[in-house]
């Protein structure tokens, strides 16, 4: 099985980290193809960044359909372009926020999310509401760490994420922590040991969900709003998508 | 006051129609600048189409900030890119779905939406949920009309929209009808006469809401998640957005 | 266009203030008729006060229909008698709580309300729930200011409202403040400057929404539960309403 | 124990019927004082009617406090003035809609309401939402019977209520029926026999809840928003309420 | 009337206390039969304890049907086995959590629950959500008292419950307190005097609701999912239930 | 990895079928131990049946902890005893309803459930609400097939399930079908071919989720309400659980 894990931002060191986490999570026999979006922002910290990451990641999926991948992971905690991506393929496409939130709900009755900058909190809140887990998700918290600080070994980003997670345990009564950024994929294990509760990294979780769906021979339903897009004319930078 | 009304698809006849509806709704002293997205699909009938319409419409808003427009309307019923657009400006930005649904809630306790193809129903359902009007919105209905059929005078699209709206009155007990596509902006008056209930066109409604906010000197809050995007590096087709 | 702005309490100084705010918000060509309720409490700070303000304000609307006003504003943050008022007319009727909350939702993803006495918090909570904005409204806060203190230039009511609003920004992460009393209509501008975020006064907001609906030729739907009341016999102090 | 059962409309034959149902439900030792509102509409079939029934019923409660009644029932399915009434007294005040809906939820996982005219459906829908039983209440149905038709022995109102209730069983899968009008208080027993499911009359249910609260020595909380109204000046027809 | 009040744990001193509270609440003419579950845990402080209390309490109800009791109370705040119990009988069956929460909603717009150990909070949260009162229930609080400590006169459990309840008044703005354990049935009166707000004990409340339903001749609906269980074969320790 | 798949009813032919489905879904290297509950009903079609299935399944898990299984599946669509089971172990425990509903939400924006008898619909409705997928789950439908009919090759149960599923596609607009009974585990593949949409069997889905969690080294959180039950005295048929 070949799973394409897409980093929707353009920072390749983050792609490497995400790919590594994905490979670590993957079953034997699963090949992980970690891709960097060919266009867009170097980090995703706003609705604007998110919007501009989508065309690149959809392009990766279009190419992936030619490659014949068995499934896709969108490795940004805002799950950008998730439903659009699903329209492009009959294979499973999983976002890391949905993967992490759903996995958390299987092992704890209450979890909190620790994300990066406070301005991204609302994005996670919208997703929790959309995914129907707002009664399970105690609180979305920001560690006040910029996404690219997570790439900088000299930063104290780990300490800030851990401290915020500790506050979640004490103040929110959380029984599990969801990591709110693809760039935190390498922190789960260490954090779980430090905190003594399950810590869920969405990249790993999404890989397992794609594997599960593929093995169950379940793919994106092509009946209803996730059917393939109707062929039509595109203009400008997207003219090549016309057919 | 100058309001930029953006047709996020690339069909200029629809831009003309939307512009006309906007001008008809505008107060004296309001100038309507109707813009066609410089890139993207000719019609928006899927999550995919929607995603690819966003970069173009954000570009229009970026240019609009240079022009110094006083506010913006996003004239597609999926309200694509709405929060991203709001990050780019301190001026008001209104989507036509939110405008229409909120206006409808002011004049009726129950309304139904009539949209184009059934595959777009879920998009409107998500918006109704996000905007907190799902208890007011009786049902989202599809007239089974492709967006571009609305541009074709020879089609019987009006009849199909009207018949679906009639069913909404009888079957849903709706007291008002919301038109679920920017391309229906010219149908509201005639339909309202045929049906005997208020019919809300989101383009007109959004223009009035922008005017209202501008006159109240209220603009998009720059405190919190709608603050201007952080400057960062962009790559590929969006490289020009780096700063 | 002539808009009747009704102060549902009987304090004429408050009517003056509300009228002034309404006139300031009104477009050129809009005439504001500010009316004081002919009967009821001097201030509205409880469910009881609210209930007894309603017959007076409905009387104003009945008279207004004879005058031929184009629309109505109910200038009390509990939106008393809103649906009853809508039954009496095919014109738009807007409550200032609904106006302020809906306008706030157009410019911020999270707002807080600052109202007067803590006992009125539950009234605003019920409205937020009824209007479907409870996920946008972070918190309803009381400044612990009696309504009539707002009329007393010697009181420190402004300071208390401002301090509570500041707490909303810090503690709630609010991006905008909604003023929770018609008697605060004169505070919005100054407060917005002091706080650096949009501050929404419902009186102004409601005037603009009525103007918008009138210009869109949209009025209260007379199909369904907002149809004119059935003629019937009334007794006692309301005997004159029989027909 | 003396319970004051208030018919908020002014039709005394309905007061008689409500009083009879209340007495039938009351325990030995409970005295039922059935009161007709001194002012307002002869029947309550709209938001307008409801609003104008409230001052009269609040007057009855004010007098009741002098009489020293032990509790109150508001015998109209819209529960008009319920929270205002609670402010006036430390005794329990129960509305028949809340009583019926809460009792129904104790004996069935799904119930439907059969009310009078279709324009009153939305009133019951709002209450179901406010009381948090919208997931238990399958549907609010109108039998298309005017309130005063229930007073006319020559009308076929019973048949129409029964037929609508039967549809509720078949189409909604309801396991119990809630009668949606105080004027149906005499129909419960017969209807229950005809239908073979529990049929809940709110008047009887409310009497039992008042009795229960009184015997538990539980009354309306005077801490928070249900505290006694603040003394203040009233004007016009309500001037006598000043203190 | 004979009401069977079931203590689903096996601690008879608690049964005595519950029985006493029930008798104190019961009307003249009501006989209270207080039963201890024949099997299961000595206290219920987890989902596991709850599950193992259910067979015993269902057995009590089966026997009760032979005895011909008129109704049942399940005297544990988790309402264990409530819907299963209802299937076994056409009589009313009331859980003390639902009784207390619904009674509280009749006398206050906001209440808080004080329960025993913090690990049981989630059980009460699930019930509040299931019963549709989560918007009325400000917060579920734990006094950090083990259930059996409530049986120990030497413990300071009363003080801890009272202190937590005081925090609920100050921090949550609660207008009433719901006691979150059957073993607190004797604390309501004293606590109410100490706190100055209504304090609701579910055992007493449930007895009154059963009495009310019985007097209204309303029993569990046997149409739908609460119909008697289908006869079938049982195995192992439940083999005697086969028929 | 060894996964214990528990059939909570006592019909061994159903255990065989469930085991087969589980084995078919399991990855290489996963051993499936299919267990029949040692006590309880032969099929689970009511709240009563469900309650009596729980002690047996908890016993299986207690034994399983001694065996050292890596995770558990509860193979009944009511997810009986799920939270209690989770308290007993730090391993993952997955119910087939939650597994199926969550998997369905990853591949379709709308699904419907087809279950057995109509009296079980409410059980699935409660779960959908509890799991936060009620906005994704269009409708719970009953095929009117008793559970044990699914074991009878001579019955036309397949046809009835398929016909109900077809109605879900046409009437509900469902894009995927969730099978609402462990005894339907063998129907998914054939049904999916007949219907042309994804059909989700919860047994297979749950096995994959357990595998995923185990491979992610994620187990049930022992912090909060899912901590191991407190040691205490048990009486009667559960006396052996004392410690």
């Amino acid at each position: 099985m070949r799973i394409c894990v897409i980093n929707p931002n353009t920072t390749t060191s983050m792609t490497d980290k995400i790919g590594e986490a994905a490979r670590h999570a993957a079953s034997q026999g699963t090949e992980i193809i970690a891709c960097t979006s060919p266009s867009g922002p170097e980090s995703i910290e706003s609705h604007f960044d998110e919007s501009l990451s989508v065309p690149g990641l959809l392009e990766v999926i279009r190419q992936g359909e030619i490659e014949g991948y068995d499934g896709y992971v969108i490795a940004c905690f805002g799950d950008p372009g998730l439903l659009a991506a699903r329209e492009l393929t009959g294979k499973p496409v999983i976002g890391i926020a949905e993967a992490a939130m759903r996995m958390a709900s299987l092992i704890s009755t209450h979890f909190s999310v620790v994300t990066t900058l406070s301005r991204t909190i609302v994005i996670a809140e919208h997703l929790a509401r959309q995914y129907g887990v707002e009664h399970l998700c105690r609180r979305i918290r920001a560690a006040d760490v910029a996404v690219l600080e997570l790439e900088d070994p000299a930063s104290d980003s780990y300490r800030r994420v851990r401290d915020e997670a500790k506050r979640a345990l004490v103040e929110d009564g959380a029984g599990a922590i969801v990591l709110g950024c693809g760039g935190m994929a390498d922190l789960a294990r260490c954090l779980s040991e430090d905190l003594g509760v399950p810590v869920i990294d969405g990249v790993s979780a999404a890989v397992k969900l794609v594997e599960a769906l593929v093995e169950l021979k379940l793919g994106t339903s092509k009946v209803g709003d996730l059917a393939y897009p109707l062929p039509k004319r595109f203009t400008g930078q997207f003219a090549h998508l016309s057919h």
Side-chain angles (χ1 to χ4, degrees), chain A:
Chain A
M1 181 187 329
R2 292 187 304 158
I3 300 177
C4 178
V5 177
I6 309 166
N7 174 16
N9 75 34
T10 57
T11 298
T12 53
S13 66
M14 195 176 297
T15 310
D16 293 344
K17 190 202 303 182
I18 288 168
E20 197 172 342
R23 265 171 221 111
H24 194 272
S27 295
Q28 223 182 350
T30 296
E31 182 188 352
I32 298 293
I33 296 90
C35 297
T36 307
S37 179
S39 66
E42 63 187 327
S43 62
I44 299 179
E45 295 166 324
S46 68
H47 306 290
F48 178 74
D49 294 346
E50 215 176 73
S51 292
L52 295 177
S53 75
V54 173
L57 88 81
L58 294 179
E59 190 58 32
V60 174
I61 288 177
R62 282 204 336 126
Q63 295 302 323
E65 288 300 281
I66 297 167
E67 292 289 334
Y69 294 139
D70 295 293
Y72 302 87
V73 170
I74 299 180
C76 167
F77 203 78
D79 291 355
L82 182 59
L83 293 178
R86 283 185 180 147
E87 288 178 340
L88 289 181
T89 175
K91 309 296 183 186
V93 185
I94 305 293
I96 66 171
E98 85 175 333
M101 290 185 185
R102 294 206 189 287
M103 284 301 201
S105 73
L106 300 176
I107 56 175
S108 180
T109 58
H110 291 304
F111 60 85
S112 285
V113 176
V114 177
T115 181
T116 53
L117 299 182
S118 65
R119 68 179 295 159
T120 68
I121 288 176
V122 79
I123 296 178
E125 284 178 350
H126 286 184
L127 292 178
R129 184 171 155 88
Q130 187 180 324
Y131 298 151
V133 296
E134 69 271 58
H135 59 304
L136 305 172
C137 179
R138 279 275 156 114
R139 191 163 158 192
I140 319 278
R141 290 167 164 276
D144 228 353
V145 173
V147 169
L148 293 186
E149 284 186 89
L150 293 164
E151 299 305 292
D152 174 8
S155 83
D156 67 341
S157 56
Y158 177 76
R159 188 189 55 72
R160 279 183 280 158
V161 169
R162 185 199 59 202
D163 290 356
E164 193 65 29
K166 278 184 182 166
R167 278 190 284 276
L169 300 190
V170 174
E171 296 174 15
D172 312 348
I177 298 294
V178 165
L179 295 175
C181 178
M184 296 177 183
D186 54 338
L187 309 182
R189 214 145 335 142
C190 183
L191 206 52
S192 182
E193 275 164 32
D194 275 13
L195 297 172
V197 298
V199 174
I200 297 111
D201 154 46
V203 176
S204 313
V207 166
K208 300 316 285 183
L209 287 177
V210 171
E211 286 183 346
L213 289 164
V214 170
E215 283 165 20
L216 292 169
K217 300 196 193 330
L218 290 172
T220 301
S221 173
K222 297 283 102 183
V223 170
D225 69 297
L226 298 179
Y228 292 104
L230 299 170
K232 59 183 57 169
R233 198 164 48 85
F234 282 75
T235 304
Q237 59 195 321
F238 302 119
H240 61 289
L241 297 171
S242 302
H243 62 237

